[in-house]
Structure formats: structure tokens, C-alpha cells
């Protein structure tokens, strides 16, 4: 009876580990689905033939009310800054803490402070 009880305890512990692993996999799957949707939107947007002028490229940032991004963009900081700002507006982190991860909960203060430098 003691042997059966110890075996049952081991099975229960393994079941708990499997349950945690299953939960981790579900969370990762959901995160990857959201990231995949974001990437599909970006790909669709970039593959559409659109003639973009310099004024049209600057209007979306001003329309969104990103006052901290507009002065630096007007100052001609450079192509690298523009690429980082574009990545941030597409929903990805550009800060050194979470670089490349999908932004899930709105704006990131680390990213915004990096863009304002």
C-alpha cells in the first residue's frame, strides 16, 4: 500500500509538471499568434504599392500626437532613427530591455525615452 501511495505521489508530481509546461506552451502560442498577426499587417502594408512623399511620411507621426517624436524627425536625425520609430509604431519594443518583443500593453516608457534622446 505504501509503494502504491508513493507511486501515486510521483504520478501526481509529474502531472503537475506537465500542467505547468502545457500552460507555458499555451501562453507562448498566444504570444506568437499576436506577433504573427502584427507581422502580417506590416508585410501587407509594405507590399501594397504606395507612392510615399516626405510630407506623407511625416503626417502619421503628427496625426498620432507623438509630440516627442516629431521634433527629432523634423531635425533630420537619420535613417536609423526613422527605422526605430517605424518599428515602435508597428508595435515592437526598441528599448534595450525588451528589444524586438511585441508591445502588449500600450506605450513603453523605456522606448519613449530612447526615442526622445
Amino acid at each position: 500500500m505504501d509503494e502504491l501511495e508513493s507511486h501515486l505521489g510521483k504520478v501526481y508530481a509529474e502531472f503537475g509538471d506537465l500542467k505547468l509546461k502545457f500552460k507555458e506552451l499555451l501562453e507562448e502560442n498566444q504570444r506568437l499568434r499576436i506577433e504573427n498577426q502584427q507581422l502580417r499587417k506590416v508585410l501587407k502594408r509594405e507590399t501594397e504599392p504606395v507612392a510615399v512623399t516626405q510630407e506623407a511620411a511625416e503626417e502619421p507621426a503628427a496625426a498620432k500626437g507623438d509630440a516627442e517624436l516629431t521634433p527629432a524627425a523634423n531635425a533630420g536625425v537619420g535613417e536609423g532613427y526613422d527605422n526605430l520609430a517605424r518599428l515602435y509604431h508597428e508595435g515592437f519594443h526598441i528599448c534595450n530591455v525588451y528589444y524586438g518583443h511585441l508591445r502588449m500593453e500600450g506605450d513603453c516608457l523605456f522606448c519613449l525615452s530612447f526615442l526622445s534622446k
Side-chain angles (χ1 to χ4, degrees):
M1 196 58 120
D2 289 336
E3 186 178 322
L4 182 61
E5 185 179 359
S6 70
H7 182 66
L8 205 61
K10 289 178 186 177
V11 169
Y12 183 73
E14 288 177 11
F15 183 71
D17 291 340
L18 285 174
K19 198 164 87 171
L20 286 175
K21 184 66 175 173
F22 184 71
K23 180 182 174 191
E24 290 172 4
L25 289 173
L26 286 175
E27 289 173 352
E28 181 181 10
N29 188 29
Q30 182 63 23
R31 181 183 58 81
L32 290 173
R33 282 182 191 211
I34 293 170
E35 187 173 351
N36 194 12
Q37 288 174 347
Q38 281 288 88
L39 291 172
R40 285 176 196 244
K41 287 179 187 176
V42 170
L43 181 63
K44 183 178 179 182
R45 195 174 346 149
E46 288 182 1
T47 56
E48 291 177 351
V50 177
V52 178
T53 63
Q54 183 64 22
E55 295 83 21
E58 291 176 3
E59 286 178 2
K64 289 184 179 180
D66 293 331
E68 62 269 26
L69 299 180
T70 308
N74 290 339
V77 174
E79 185 178 339
Y81 177 87
D82 292 340
N83 287 336
L84 288 175
R86 180 181 52 79
L87 283 173
Y88 182 77
H89 288 296
E90 289 172 358
F92 296 96
H93 283 278
I94 58 166
C95 61
N96 63 340
V97 180
Y98 300 109
Y99 182 81
H101 289 90
L102 188 64
R103 285 188 295 121
M104 304 291 268
E105 300 172 0
D107 290 331
C108 170
L109 294 178
F110 295 118
C111 293
L112 290 175
S113 71
F114 183 75
L115 283 173
S116 67
K117 289 183 181 180

